[in-house]
Amino acid sequence: METSKIIIGYFIYLPVITLLTYFVSKTLFRNGKIFMMEIFKGKEDIALSTNRLFEVGFYLLNLGFGLTILRISTYGFNETYQELIEILSTKIGGFSIYLGIMLFVNLFLFFRGRRKSKLGNTPQVIKNQKS
């Protein structure tokens, strides 16, 4: 078993998942500030703090998942560069799909918070019921 090709795989995989996570995170949370400002009714300090906390959580969750699936198994790996590229494409492609799902989960949370915020602005009429 030649471990040098596996190590090369790690040196390719780690920067790619880190850069993908960084790009998606910065894009999502730069644009998410608008939603947070609306959800928190213009209270900039709490909106930006909450947005930053979501961003940190996004990094931790996604980089943690990326590191969890880091292992390149030596079983079935015949030490060719072609196999290394195929393994990396599967890992990076799977991680990209996961990041896309996480992006849409965060967008769902932003839209849900926005909707709940708008519902909170409308006065609700409560009728007294006599027993």
Side-chain angles (χ1 to χ4, degrees), residues 24-36:
V24 171
S25 176
K26 286 301 172 191
T27 302
L28 177 64
F29 293 103
R30 183 178 346 107
N31 296 314
K33 288 178 189 176
I34 298 166
F35 290 102
M36 289 296 184

Side-chain angles (χ1 to χ4, degrees), residues 6 10 12 14-15 20 25 32 35 38 41-42 45 67 72 81 100 103 106 113-115 119 124 131:
I6 292 175
Y10 293 153
I12 294 170
L14 287 171
L20 277 172
S25 176
F35 290 102
E38 187 173 345
K41 297 170 181 53
D45 55 342
L67 290 172
I72 295 175
Y81 284 111
L103 172 75
N106 275 284
R114 182 177 180 218
R115 188 182 77 235
L119 288 176
Q124 296 180 357
S131 306

